Amino acid sequence: MKPLQSQLWQFLGLPVWHCAHGERLPYGPAPVAAPAEVRLITGQGSRLPDTLLADLAIALNGIQPEIQDETAWLAAGRPGARILLGFNLTTPAEDLAWHGTLPLSASQKRELWSRLCSLNSAL
């Protein structure tokens, strides 16, 4: 079912058919992606240092973060996550738990670790 058709059916209050295997049908609705635990958004052309990724793995208790480019994140409609961090972003985003610029200054590192501690203790 094409998106316009499904929107029309939803508007009319009719049941909409959803396929669990959207990859089998080229015009079928895309399956809803599971929300990420931790998503790191990087600005265009930015790459996170390996040392920062290793430190984040320790701070996140081994949770593997999803790393996404800013343009892909914006094109996907700004998908959320339990912990959403931004690095070197070109556009401001209010839905981020923390954002900063690379390389991180000492005060940015303290702010990031403090924020991660508060987010992890909230669970």
Side-chain angles (χ1 to χ4, degrees):
M1 183 176 295
K2 294 183 181 178
L4 185 60
Q5 281 180 306
S6 65
Q7 289 175 357
L8 178 62
W9 283 33
Q10 288 172 350
F11 177 74
L12 295 175
L14 298 173
V16 179
W17 176 73
H18 293 283
C19 178
H21 302 284
E23 70 278 0
R24 296 183 185 167
L25 300 169
Y27 297 110
V32 177
E37 271 299 298
V38 179
R39 181 171 282 131
L40 309 177
I41 311 300
T42 60
Q44 298 172 351
S46 296
R47 187 176 180 280
L48 297 176
D50 293 333
T51 53
L52 176 63
L53 290 173
D55 289 345
L56 286 172
I58 293 169
L60 297 171
N61 298 324
I63 296 173
Q64 186 66 28
E66 290 184 18
I67 301 172
Q68 194 170 19
D69 184 65
E70 181 182 14
T71 53
W73 180 65
L74 292 172
R78 296 179 174 215
R82 186 176 67 83
I83 299 175
L84 192 60
L85 308 174
F87 299 90
N88 291 358
L89 299 180
T90 57
T91 58
E94 308 82 39
D95 43 357
L96 296 176
W98 181 90
H99 62 86
T101 56
L102 296 173
L104 295 177
S105 66
S107 63
Q108 283 180 320
K109 286 179 186 178
R110 281 192 299 274
E111 183 184 318
L112 173 59
W113 301 137
S114 173
R115 188 68 179 133
L116 285 174
C117 286
S118 67
L119 290 169
N120 279 331
S121 67
L123 291 178

